[in-house]
Amino acid sequence: MSAGFTNAVVAGLLYNGVEVSFEPGHLTRGNGYVFPLGRPKGLVIHHTGSRYDTGLPTLVNGRPDLDPPLCNTCGYSDGRIHFIAAHPANHAGAGAGKSMGPLPRTRLFNREVWGHEIMYPGLIEMTPAQYRSAQILGGVICGILGVDAEHVRAHAETSENGKWDPGRGN
């Protein structure tokens, strides 16, 4: 079902005028877990902390300390959303932050939420196109899930260990 959810997100983005692109193998890629009922319960927004439009190889292939993939989608400076993994990714760690909203507190938060990495430094503004496409992504995901915007969270809200993304300044 995760592939079906992903295809619905793609359709929603295209309907709303957001350009999409795909990493080869995105429909079968994940961290080995499955989303409950084949779909996530919400969306967590992150930033890469790198220069605009850099970091895709790390998001796809992981880091020495973190197995891939590191997100489900990522956002380019032109507003394009790139699909990396249809299944859970290693992006959120435990979900037990200060502002979880309706999302569950759990040590296995990655299998509960879709992860979107905006490819920008975080210490300066994301581009207007990145901001717009992230808003549309949140709306599309909430629409598919039949939930409200409280199911979209910044990593800073859900992290129990001080993450501050997505940043807009220091």
Side-chain angles (χ1 to χ4, degrees):
M1 175 82 168
S2 292
F5 176 82
T6 299
N7 290 333
V9 173
V10 169
L13 290 171
L14 291 172
Y15 178 82
N16 284 284
V18 176
E19 183 182 345
V20 298
S21 57
F22 306 95
E23 193 64 27
H26 73 282
L27 288 176
T28 57
R29 186 176 290 112
N31 66 5
Y33 286 101
V34 296
F35 289 121
L37 304 176
R39 59 191 202 163
K41 295 177 180 169
L43 169 66
V44 173
I45 308 275
H46 307 267
H47 72 255
T48 58
S50 61
R51 291 174 304 156
Y52 290 97
D53 301 339
T54 64
L56 182 62
T58 301
L59 297 176
V60 174
N61 301 314
R63 308 183 315 233
D65 65 329
L66 191 57
D67 290 336
L70 303 189
C71 61
N72 300 95
T73 52
C74 62
Y76 281 91
S77 63
D78 63 3
R80 174 172 38 110
I81 293 188
H82 187 71
F83 284 76
I84 294 172
H87 304 280
N90 292 323
H91 63 92
K98 63 183 183 249
S99 182
M100 297 294 294
L103 298 176
R105 292 181 178 276
T106 176
R107 304 300 301 162
L108 296 173
F109 198 47
N110 290 318
R111 71 179 189 160
E112 303 289 338
V113 290
W114 190 269
H116 181 65
E117 287 274 358
I118 301 172
M119 294 194 294
Y120 81 111
L123 293 175
I124 56 177
E125 300 272 334
M126 65 184 82
T127 68
Q130 285 173 315
Y131 188 73
R132 177 184 176 275
S133 66
Q135 286 182 306
I136 292 171
L137 175 66
V140 165
I141 287 176
C142 287
I144 294 166
L145 296 176
V147 298
D148 63 25
E150 290 293 307
H151 289 77
V152 178
R153 291 291 195 221
H155 195 199
E157 295 177 289
T158 64
S159 171
E160 67 178 357
N161 57 357
K163 299 289 186 173
W164 58 276
D165 54 325
R168 290 180 70 130
N170 58 11

